[in-house]
Amino acid sequence: MGLTKGRGIFSWLLDFVIVFLFVYGITFKITGFAGSKLVVVYLLLVLNKRKVLHELLNDRFVKYTFLSWVFISVYYYGVTVFLGKYSWVFLYQRFLFFFECIVGAYLLVFYLYRKYSIQQIYAILICVFFLQSLFIFISFISDSFRTFTNNIMVVEDERALTATRTRGFSTSANAALSYLQSLGVFISASYLLVFRREQRSRISSIVAISSIVIIPLSTIFVARTGLLFASLFAISYSIQYIIRNRSFGKVVAYVTLLSFVIIFIVNNYRLLIPQDKIYLLENRVLNRAFEAMESYNEQGKIETNSTNTLMDDMFFFPDDDLTLLFGEGVWDASRVDRGGMGRKVTSDVGVIRLIFAGGVLLALMFYCQFYVYFKQFLKTRVSTEFKYGVICLIAVVIVGELKEPFIVAASGIAKTLFLVLFINRVNIKRFTAPN
């Protein structure tokens, strides 16, 4: 089955760009706003709005998240007014979370399903993540490419301007991008397990297999978070493959071949990396990525500076019970929006940030959405064919929120999670019915 399903290459490329912009939300300097917003506006213009509205109003998950958005927003607004804080950033992010991440993902799936099969939509997503991983490599190797991207895209984090933490074709160069890339491994593994060989195109199968290898390697140049998560998904894929096919020998052969490839790359990476980048790679990038291993070799303990800081300084709660329960009505804007000013809550932990914003009550309201999300996800075919991967996905979401508010913000992570859900549980016949 081909990627374009009889459609022209230019039509496929347009849809590829639409998916890419939606997932990564690139903010170009010339526009000043995220590309994902432009995608949502485009979808609203080209889709049958009456049909879309009908589908949205009949989707229980969308209705539940809409009610959650209303309750959370009203609750937080009440807390800020009562305490006189008047902090609106969190309300704006709640608006984006529902209308951009959830409704936007729904619209995009609605749009794609009228043109492509589910296998082809998976293939487009896989190609998006694979291409971004290549961009991340190129950003490290090529100063001119990195300068070009810095000139046309907004820089959210000054670390993205360095040669040791690359962002590919993305606005950010931090743990969130690394985390987002790891979801590409989950999607690729799901594709290979859910669809049989005869249901997949040869090209998309090759790209999916390559993504499971290439994406984790690319996260080395971004942040360790994605490297850990991507490795979990890759391991869970191997375990699921062995169990499903009852072919331990075949997996051993694949792992052996992969090991030889990795050993070859490790021993010959100097041939692939420009000489002026060797020092940065060895002493900055690899040292950062494998800091835990070096710590174990030197001190006999598996730890990193960031993990120590997280455990020692980031887990704290409001001093009194009322604030713990109802919150303080404070929420920090992004690094760019703060304009160099200090943070109101000096914790990176997503749960802690939510508790200071609206207390335990607000945190429960927000995370209940993902409880319902996974209840929905467990009913999909992915849960049956890639059970260990879904278990890892649940663990990744939980662990991620204990590090940073990855899914609280209207990020590519949240958009991708909702895309994957809607792609797998949508009623295809309803979506592809004539207007």
Side-chain angles (χ1 to χ4, degrees), residues 195-207:
F195 305 107
R196 306 303 177 189
R197 184 176 300 177
E198 61 272 11
Q199 297 176 301
R200 311 187 308 252
S201 72
R202 182 175 298 178
I203 294 176
S204 58
S205 296
I206 292 173
V207 175

Side-chain angles (χ1 to χ4, degrees), residues 12-141:
W12 185 89
L13 285 174
L14 172 63
D15 296 334
F16 177 87
V17 171
I18 288 173
V19 176
F20 193 99
L21 287 176
F22 180 77
V23 169
Y24 292 103
I26 303 168
T27 304
F28 293 101
K29 291 181 178 179
I30 194 172
T31 61
F33 56 87
S36 50
K37 295 178 177 61
L38 181 63
V39 169
V40 174
V41 172
Y42 171 77
L43 294 174
L44 288 172
L45 290 174
V46 301
L47 290 174
N48 184 320
K49 283 167 279 297
R50 180 175 298 179
K51 178 72 172 175
V52 170
L53 182 61
H54 174 76
E55 297 299 333
L56 285 170
L57 292 176
N58 283 279
D59 191 291
R60 289 185 177 182
F61 180 75
V62 173
K63 288 191 290 187
Y64 170 76
T65 53
F66 171 77
L67 290 175
S68 295
W69 166 58
V70 173
F71 280 120
I72 290 172
S73 299
V74 171
Y75 175 85
Y76 179 79
Y77 176 77
V79 171
T80 57
V81 171
F82 180 77
L83 296 175
K85 298 294 179 67
Y86 302 102
S87 175
W88 312 121
V89 176
F90 185 76
L91 291 175
Y92 176 63
Q93 289 187 353
R94 294 311 90 225
F95 173 83
L96 293 180
F97 182 84
F98 178 73
F99 283 100
E100 187 174 336
C101 296
I102 298 175
V103 175
Y106 199 94
L107 293 176
L108 184 54
V109 172
F110 190 98
Y111 170 82
L112 294 173
Y113 257 127
R114 300 181 70 82
K115 303 175 72 174
Y116 304 99
S117 68
I118 184 172
Q119 295 97 315
Q120 291 168 327
I121 297 173
Y122 257 97
I124 292 174
L125 266 178
I126 292 166
C127 289
V128 163
F129 283 96
F130 181 74
L131 182 62
Q132 183 68 282
S133 66
L134 296 182
F135 283 146
I136 290 171
F137 282 121
I138 295 172
S139 294
F140 177 77
I141 295 173

Side-chain angles (χ1 to χ4, degrees), residues 259-326:
S259 299
F260 277 119
V261 172
I262 293 175
I263 291 172
F264 175 81
I265 293 174
V266 169
N267 290 329
N268 297 277
Y269 67 85
R270 290 174 175 269
L271 300 177
L272 306 173
I273 304 294
Q275 291 300 309
D276 61 325
K277 303 294 183 182
I278 297 296
Y279 177 83
L280 289 176
L281 176 66
E282 294 178 342
N283 294 279
R284 298 289 297 278
V285 176
L286 296 181
N287 282 355
R288 181 187 68 229
F290 300 105
E291 182 184 352
M293 294 177 61
E294 291 191 7
S295 174
Y296 180 78
N297 292 332
E298 295 175 0
Q299 305 176 36
K301 296 188 295 184
I302 299 178
E303 61 180 13
T304 64
N305 290 330
S306 59
T307 304
N308 291 339
T309 301
L310 181 71
M311 299 304 295
D312 296 338
D313 303 328
M314 299 296 179
F315 283 93
F316 55 87
F317 297 92
D319 295 330
D320 61 275
D321 293 340
L322 280 178
T323 305
L324 177 65
L325 188 61
F326 299 108

Side-chain angles (χ1 to χ4, degrees), residues 139 146 150 155-168 171-177 221-225 284 288 306 335-336 338 343 348 403-404 406:
S139 294
R146 190 169 63 255
N150 290 339
V155 179
E156 290 185 349
D157 190 333
E158 63 274 6
R159 291 175 296 179
L161 298 173
T162 69
T164 58
R165 188 186 288 268
T166 59
R167 58 175 176 160
T171 302
S172 63
N174 50 27
L177 174 60
F221 296 92
V222 187
R224 290 185 296 258
T225 304
R284 298 289 297 278
R288 181 187 68 229
S306 59
R335 187 185 297 266
V336 172
R338 288 199 301 270
R343 295 174 55 174
D348 290 335
K403 186 180 186 298
E404 293 185 31
F406 288 120

